[in-house]
Amino acid sequence: MEQGIQPLNPIAIDLGPIQVHWYGLIIGFGVLLGLIIALRESERRGLDKEIFTDLILFAVPIAIISARIYYVIFQWEYYSQNPGDIIKIWNGGIAIHGALIGSVLTAIVFAKVKKVSFWKLVDIAAPSLLLGQAIGRWGNFMNQEAHGGEVTRSFLENMHLPEFIINQMYINGTYYHPTFLYESIWNILGVIILLSLRKVNLRRGELFLTYVIWYSSGRYFIEGLRTDSLMLTESLRIAQVISIVLIAVAIALVVYRRVRGHADKRYLDA
């Protein structure tokens, strides 16, 4: 390790047997901020804000569990030999695609039970989801994970990154691509686009589908830089395959819903 460079402590609060990790705090902050934004928008759109509060109470734990299950399934060779590590999510190892699957399924069931439009719910939630993902990547930063391949220090300095990011990308004697940062910036740009598209008054459901397309497009390319990808085969990255599938499905849904007349209502409609 270069002299004087020490990684940031991933533990925010250490009370002996009780440790609170930055990873969990950062993800929690992202969820909270996303919820606040969604609550304000739901109220503006004429929805009872308790609907989103109730949805979050179900969706967040289910999303975390499904994200972990997704990750464990594709790393089963390791976890089958180390079952005690399955619950250690504070060390990282939750997959956003798994969280997305869990949260969407939860929203579908929730919408049916509450008799509200699923598409209206997910349209309102879309910017919050992407913002939460942008913030959550900084949890990966604290754990020194979700990084890319080897680079030089001068490469990172030429990107004009703050010193603390450069130093945190120094892992076991090597500097790495800050892919967590690339995805975080991509997601923040996506949030800005989604918030702007609200004013365009897209057809209901298309704001959420735009989120799916935007996130998946960025994830496909950024995933190609990472060194810790979940692999389907030796050369096929699971996240890239899922991203392509999600883009295709989202585009197909936009076309299908318009052709079949299922997208007559607009985002700003009551």
Side-chain angles (χ1 to χ4, degrees), residues 197-198 200-204 206-207 210 265-267:
L197 286 176
R198 280 178 173 176
V200 175
N201 200 20
L202 295 174
R203 300 189 189 205
R204 186 172 290 178
E206 292 183 3
L207 195 68
T210 299
K265 289 189 176 182
R266 299 276 179 168
Y267 177 79

Side-chain angles (χ1 to χ4, degrees), residues 34-35 37-43 47-59 110 120-126 128:
L35 175 59
I37 293 173
L39 286 176
R40 288 182 177 178
E41 181 63 10
S42 65
E43 195 170 10
L47 278 178
D48 187 339
K49 63 182 181 180
E50 289 185 2
I51 288 179
F52 257 97
T53 304
D54 292 343
L55 176 58
I56 289 296
L57 288 175
F58 288 105
F110 183 87
K120 187 172 185 177
L121 286 177
V122 293
D123 272 352
I124 292 172
S128 296

